[in-house]
Amino acid sequence: TLHADLAALMLPGAPLGDVRFHVGGGGGGGGEVFVAHRALLGLRSGTMRAMLAGPMSEALTGTVEVTDARPGPFRAMLAYMYTDELRAEADDVIDLLFLSNKYGLDGLTALVSGFLCRSVDAHNCAALLQYADVLALPQLLRVAATCAARCMNCGGVREQIMALPEHLRAAVEPAAETAALHNDRPWLKAAWERTPYPDDETTAAAESAAGGKAA
């Protein structure tokens, strides 16, 4: 099938590769080399197309040095570009989100953001608020803010939130006010905690459009 043929192009020694990515190693050797196909990458990413089809040195040499990424997340990004599916290790998800933003892969960004929306908890809500702010991901920002409000009395969460920039603390305040109201009324609190985080349906739709889920 076409899907299987495209997936096979990711295997070591696959034919017709015409661009090499040296990933990791800081430009001084080491890291890992990925051989890919510039025509396919250019179709999937406008950023890749500009880099590999224009007058830039990468287009002339067929070699791209990627010093701001690790091999694992980069491999997952390439696999998505070839197959429209996402298979990533949990430790690679944040780096993959930044790569998808860098290379303009909106479908991958939606998929990873949706995965993170379902993974927000007391341990990561403050960090995800910052990532969502830097990458302009309003859905993830709302979900992380809601989680922070619900978990404000969990160990260390309040301190982490208070250490954030003022505009991020302000994003948590409306949800925190709602949480305080529900804490005063136990029957309301129980109903609110049974309610899914905002935009769960939007998250599911984004996943469906992007064509897969994180492993």
Side-chain angles (χ1 to χ4, degrees), residues 116 119-129 131 144 147 160:
L116 290 172
S119 306
V120 176
D121 59 26
H123 301 289
N124 61 24
C125 59
L128 290 179
L129 269 170
Y131 296 141
C147 179
Q160 293 179 50

Side-chain angles (χ1 to χ4, degrees), residues 33 43 45 48 54 82 100 104-105 122-123 133 180 188 192 196 207 209 212:
V33 176
L43 288 172
S45 163
M48 289 277 195
Y82 277 79
S100 69
L105 298 168
H123 301 289
D133 181 51
L188 271 178
W192 192 57
E207 279 190 350

Side-chain angles (χ1 to χ4, degrees), residues 181-193:
L181 172 65
H182 292 173
N183 285 334
D184 290 340
R185 296 173 172 81
W187 63 274
L188 271 178
K189 179 177 183 290
W192 192 57
E193 290 179 345

Side-chain angles (χ1 to χ4, degrees), residues 160-182:
Q160 293 179 50
I161 298 303
M162 295 308 296
L164 294 177
E166 182 178 356
H167 69 285
L168 290 180
R169 297 200 304 272
V172 176
E173 287 174 1
E177 292 172 0
T178 303
L181 172 65
H182 292 173

Side-chain angles (χ1 to χ4, degrees), residues 60-199:
L60 301 176
T61 64
T63 300
V64 182
E65 296 288 345
V66 182
T67 59
D68 59 350
R70 295 183 294 112
F74 196 86
R75 182 186 300 107
M77 183 191 73
L78 283 181
Y80 175 83
M81 296 177 77
Y82 277 79
T83 67
D84 220 28
E85 294 179 349
L86 174 60
R87 294 292 181 267
E89 299 294 331
D91 291 344
D92 292 340
V93 169
I94 296 299
D95 287 355
L96 188 57
L97 185 64
F98 278 87
L99 280 172
S100 69
N101 181 75
K102 174 181 176 179
Y103 292 107
L105 298 168
D106 293 341
L108 181 56
T109 297
L111 184 58
V112 177
S113 177
F115 172 79
L116 290 172
C117 283
R118 297 192 314 278
S119 306
V120 176
D121 59 26
H123 301 289
N124 61 24
C125 59
L128 290 179
L129 269 170
Q130 296 178 81
Y131 296 141
D133 181 51
V134 169
L135 297 176
L137 300 172
Q139 177 186 341
L140 181 58
L141 184 70
R142 288 194 297 272
V143 173
T146 300
C147 179
R150 291 179 174 182
C151 301
M152 192 65 78
N153 293 321
C154 300
V157 172
R158 183 179 300 276
E159 290 77 10
Q160 293 179 50
I161 298 303
M162 295 308 296
L164 294 177
E166 182 178 356
H167 69 285
L168 290 180
R169 297 200 304 272
V172 176
E173 287 174 1
E177 292 172 0
T178 303
L181 172 65
H182 292 173
N183 285 334
D184 290 340
R185 296 173 172 81
W187 63 274
L188 271 178
K189 179 177 183 290
W192 192 57
E193 290 179 345
R194 289 195 300 269
T195 303
Y197 288 145
D199 296 325

